[in-house]
Amino acid sequence: MSDTQPVLHTASDNAEAPLVDPFQRAITYLRVSVTDRCDFRCVYCMSEDMTFLPKSEVLSLEELDRLCSSFVDLGVRKLRLTGGEPLVRRNIMWLIERLSRHLDSGQLEELTLTTNASQLTRYADQLAACGVKRLNVSLDTLNPDKFKAITRWGKYDKVMEGLQAAKRAGISIKINTVALKNVNDDEIDNLVSWCGDEGFDLTFIEVMPMGDIGGEDRLDQYYPLSQLRQDLSRNWTLEESQHKTGGPARYAHCKETGGRIGFITPLTHNFCESCNRVRLTCTGTLYMCLGQEDAADLRTPLRESDDDALVKQTIREAITRKPKGHDFIIDRDNQQGVSSRHMSVTGG
């Protein structure tokens, strides 16, 4: 089957027992990397001369629909499509339109994406029509020259136009900013102010030690969010918030802008105790933890049978191995971290 003519597949309507891991956490959130490809080459994510997966190893759109629908049958209530850059996948709107049926049925509470916004001028209206109400947009700087240096291939103006297209379509935006020492640490106040003016939420993320990124030194990039939050407090009043989106961010309300600021801290504060999510790669590999190597092959049972029973059985067995937490660390001896996978493969 090719991406040009996907075959329709109807998910089972049978009620399924929910997924619960060994630590009694219900698994209700699936992040799916629909492609390892991207039109950017961000310095903390990829090397510039990336070798991408052969097409035969990547799940077809119809296979992604089957897998996602199996997870929905098993109690997943939130589905996030990631990449690479999900919107560069050929015919990606077919998959999004198919998955939106689970919103219509009420089985799925939210269908959303993480994107770099480069394709939003093209797709924002279609995404809104499919029930996508919220997007996470990766943006690390408001300086066009610095943006070019960080993304290597990105076009700043195109991203800004994409953000405005999403706003016009009525889609809420949360900006995800990776905190990078000596790169964007002088811009954190500007980012807070700009997001407040635009009506965007903002989340800062500690750089994660995943994959060989082509000679970049993560220790030199590492800007702990404990320090970042202290730096923000010089100019902004941050009040603790109980707001949750299902992800790992902890939020504060910014009194001056009225907006929310989130903090994702895999290194300075382990966020694993309430983890309700698993990650599926575009090759059909299920990772129960972003920072662990244990994984389950879902592609083989998917391709061995048109019946989803074997797939669901494999998913259930995998969840019994979900660990309590990750082991991220960055120091002089661990600059590449515990995982050799690039973030673009796992989907963040």
Side-chain angles (χ1 to χ4, degrees):
M1 195 212 75
S2 71
D3 285 352
T4 56
Q5 293 181 319
V7 177
L8 296 183
H9 175 83
T10 302
S12 167
D13 292 327
N14 295 332
E16 303 276 0
L19 295 171
V20 179
D21 76 2
F23 304 94
Q24 301 306 304
R25 297 172 297 196
I27 307 306
T28 58
Y29 181 2
L30 176 67
R31 299 178 65 111
V32 184
S33 174
V34 298
T35 179
D36 66 326
R37 297 174 185 270
C38 188
D39 49 351
F40 292 1
R41 293 292 184 274
C42 295
V43 295
Y44 53 80
C45 182
M46 294 185 180
S47 61
E48 190 162 12
D49 57 347
M50 285 289 290
T51 299
F52 293 107
L53 294 164
K55 188 175 180 180
S56 61
E57 293 185 18
V58 175
L59 296 178
S60 69
L61 295 177
E62 195 263 350
E63 288 172 328
L64 284 165
D65 179 32
R66 277 188 63 193
L67 272 183
C68 291
S69 297
S70 292
F71 275 96
V72 171
D73 282 348
L74 292 172
V76 161
R77 304 289 289 165
K78 178 175 178 178
L79 195 57
R80 177 177 295 279
L81 304 185
T82 68
E85 168 49 48
L87 294 177
V88 301
R89 174 78 189 253
R90 187 177 183 184
N91 287 335
I92 187 60
M93 286 310 305
W94 179 89
L95 177 63
I96 296 171
E97 289 166 4
R98 284 289 294 160
L99 293 174
S100 70
R101 74 191 186 277
H102 300 305
L103 292 171
D104 296 336
S105 73
Q107 280 186 287
L108 197 62
E109 292 177 359
E110 185 176 40
L111 174 62
T112 185
L113 291 82
T114 294
T115 175
N116 61 25
S118 68
Q119 306 298 315
L120 286 182
T121 51
R122 178 181 179 186
Y123 289 120
D125 289 337
Q126 295 177 65
L127 290 170
C130 288
V132 174
K133 300 183 183 303
R134 191 168 64 91
L135 294 171
N136 285 5
V137 174
S138 304
L139 179 67
D140 300 321
T141 179
L142 297 174
N143 180 310
D145 293 333
K146 200 181 292 185
F147 178 87
K148 181 69 174 177
I150 292 173
T151 65
R152 295 190 180 109
W153 294 7
K155 293 180 172 59
Y156 181 82
D157 290 344
K158 193 174 182 182
V159 167
M160 292 297 116
E161 290 166 5
L163 288 169
Q164 294 307 312
K167 280 183 67 173
R168 288 193 298 271
I171 299 174
S172 297
I173 298 292
K174 178 165 74 71
I175 300 296
N176 284 346
T177 297
V178 176
L180 299 166
K181 186 169 66 174
N182 300 322
V183 177
N184 63 2
D185 51 353
D186 61 341
E187 289 191 72
I188 59 172
D189 291 325
N190 288 342
L191 283 159
V192 170
S193 179
W194 175 74
C195 284
D197 291 343
E198 293 288 343
F200 300 154
D201 285 342
L202 171 64
T203 291
F204 291 105
I205 306 171
E206 282 178 337
V207 65
M208 295 190 189
M210 296 188 68
D212 180 359
I213 51 174
E216 300 288 341
D217 188 339
R218 282 198 176 91
L219 187 60
D220 291 341
Q221 294 176 345
Y222 178 49
Y223 181 19
L225 294 199
S226 54
Q227 180 63 52
L228 182 148
R229 185 160 181 169
Q230 184 177 329
D231 293 342
L232 282 178
S233 67
R234 292 196 295 258
N235 296 307
W236 310 98
T237 306
L238 302 184
E239 303 167 334
E240 293 302 323
S241 169
Q242 298 303 310
H243 177 73
K244 295 186 182 299
T245 61
R250 296 169 183 268
Y251 287 91
H253 176 265
C254 183
K255 186 175 180 181
E256 288 79 6
T257 69
R260 283 187 290 261
I261 302 176
F263 303 89
I264 297 180
T265 54
L267 297 167
T268 57
H269 184 282
N270 189 299
F271 48 64
C272 302
E273 66 274 4
S274 60
C275 182
N276 63 340
R277 56 206 162 275
V278 289
R279 292 165 173 84
L280 180 69
T281 74
C282 57
T283 63
T285 301
L286 180 68
Y287 285 96
M288 285 67 77
C289 176
L290 180 63
Q292 303 282 0
E293 291 296 336
D294 185 33
D297 171 24
L298 301 185
R299 186 176 63 192
T300 298
L302 184 74
R303 292 182 174 177
E304 283 181 350
S305 174
D306 290 333
D307 186 335
D308 294 335
L310 183 58
V311 171
K312 292 177 181 178
Q313 178 184 336
T314 307
I315 292 170
R316 288 192 181 280
E317 192 281 327
I319 298 304
T320 67
R321 308 199 309 269
K322 183 171 171 63
K324 189 172 184 179
H326 62 244
D327 297 312
F328 286 143
I329 186 172
I330 292 183
D331 57 30
R332 288 293 174 192
D333 297 322
N334 294 281
Q335 291 180 39
Q336 296 305 334
V338 297
S339 177
S340 60
R341 303 188 312 278
H342 287 87
M343 290 292 286
S344 60
V345 174
T346 313

